[in-house]
């Protein structure tokens, strides 16, 4: 079980602002990641609580980021089990002026590995140049 902190005023803006809109957005993301019936998602003010199972560590981490990188969400509390034992990723909160190249240089010692970070954050990222301050990114271990 883990608790992840997010920047409350950063993140994807949803059309509505009530808990149902946030829950629906997270449920949609869970469907994209192949987790349709294995989760219980509750929104409690600025906190999202997720319980259930995920098919992989990667899917678990992506769901946490999808839930937290929503405007108005400050915390994600999760109790998600996975079938695999892959190593956990580290995380980076984007600061003003950051690029994926700079983040990869800091994380891996080599900026040209930025694509590993970009791929690890799909579908939340659609373009490597479209990151924003406050966004939490997954930094996977290199294989």
């Amino acid at each position: 079980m883990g608790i992840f902190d997010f920047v409350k005023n950063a993140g994807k803006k949803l059309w509505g602002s009530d808990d149902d809109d946030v829950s629906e957005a997270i449920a949609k993301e869970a469907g994209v990641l192949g987790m349709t019936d294995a989760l219980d998602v509750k929104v409690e003010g600025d906190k999202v609580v997720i319980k259930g199972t995920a098919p992989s560590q990667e899917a678990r981490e992506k769901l946490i980021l999808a839930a937290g990188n929503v405007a108005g969400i400050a915390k994600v509390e999760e109790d998600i089990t996975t079938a695999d034992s892959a190593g956990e990723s580290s995380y980076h909160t984007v600061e003003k002026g950051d690029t994926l190249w700079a983040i990869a240089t800091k994380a891996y010692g080599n900026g040209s590995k930025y694509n590993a970070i970009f791929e690890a954050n799909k579908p939340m990222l659609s373009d490597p140049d479209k990151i924003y301050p406050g966004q939490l990114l997954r930094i996977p271990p290199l294989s």
Side-chain angles (χ1 to χ4, degrees), residues 16-122:
S17 61
D18 61 17
D19 293 351
D20 290 339
D21 292 328
V22 175
S23 293
E24 287 175 24
I26 295 167
K28 181 179 178 185
E29 189 63 37
V32 169
L33 296 170
M35 298 179 277
T36 52
D37 299 323
L39 296 173
D40 178 35
V41 178
K42 292 182 181 153
V43 179
E44 300 170 352
D46 65 355
K47 178 175 82 171
V48 176
V49 179
I50 307 171
K51 296 179 181 180
T53 58
S56 67
Q57 181 68 20
E58 177 183 5
R60 174 187 162 267
E61 292 170 353
K62 285 185 174 187
L63 182 62
I64 292 165
L65 292 181
N69 282 320
V70 171
I73 299 299
K75 289 191 180 301
V76 173
E77 184 178 313
E78 60 83 25
D79 187 7
I80 304 171
T81 58
T82 61
D84 68 8
S85 60
E88 286 196 34
S89 297
S90 59
Y91 298 90
H92 175 81
T93 301
V94 177
E95 297 175 5
K96 186 175 181 179
D98 270 351
T99 63
L100 288 185
W101 186 280
I103 295 167
T105 300
K106 185 176 176 182
Y108 302 135
N110 185 344
S112 67
K113 304 240 184 241
Y114 77 92
N115 202 47
I117 298 170
F118 174 64
E119 291 296 326
N121 288 279
K122 280 184 175 179

Side-chain angles (χ1 to χ4, degrees), residues 3-27:
I3 298 175
F4 295 80
D5 292 317
F6 292 83
V7 176
K8 184 175 179 176
N9 296 325
K12 190 183 330 182
K13 306 269 190 280
L14 300 178
W15 288 106
S17 61
D18 61 17
D19 293 351
D20 290 339
D21 292 328
V22 175
S23 293
E24 287 175 24
I26 295 167

